[in-house]
Amino acid sequence: MLSALKRLQTCQENRKLDVQVYRCAIAACARSRDVRGACHLLKDMHDKGIPMDTHMYNAIISACEKCGLWRKALRLMDDMRSNEVPADLITYRAATSVCGKGGQWQRALQLMEDMRVDG
């Protein structure tokens, strides 16, 4: 994770941030369960007009699953919809799982229905 964050800092200093650098840094944060750091990077991308993608959100939502952060996972899914980033099977699986683990079975069932409707 440190090498990805160092690379991000170097790129920020050189003003050469791109999607791939963010993707790597978000993945590194997510792997280390640093949901806050990953969300900060996602917000930074949004603020700079850098396109976000499903893989980035999936990494963070999967980290939310590992940390039991069902509310955060659902907020991220709402954010995906707002930013017109499509959810996929991985997105729904992680969000459904974290809701189930958090005792939020009604939300988990709703996500399953949303997945069916979204295709």
Side-chain angles (χ1 to χ4, degrees), residues 25-43:
I26 288 170
C29 287
R31 276 193 302 276
S32 67
R33 299 181 181 190
D34 181 6
V35 174
R36 181 177 291 174
C39 288
H40 175 76
L41 292 169
L42 202 64
K43 182 183 180 320

Side-chain angles (χ1 to χ4, degrees), residues 35-85:
V35 174
R36 181 177 291 174
C39 288
H40 175 76
L41 292 169
L42 202 64
K43 182 183 180 320
D44 191 47
M45 289 180 70
H46 182 268
D47 292 347
K48 292 179 179 176
I50 298 171
M52 299 166 284
D53 64 30
T54 304
H55 300 290
M56 293 172 191
Y57 278 99
N58 284 350
I60 304 170
I61 292 171
S62 293
C64 289
E65 176 190 14
K66 292 172 186 158
C67 296
L69 302 172
W70 64 268
R71 286 183 184 94
K72 185 66 171 176
L74 294 178
R75 280 194 299 267
L76 285 162
M77 287 196 72
D78 288 342
D79 191 44
M80 289 177 78
R81 286 184 199 98
S82 297
N83 290 307
E84 298 179 359
V85 176

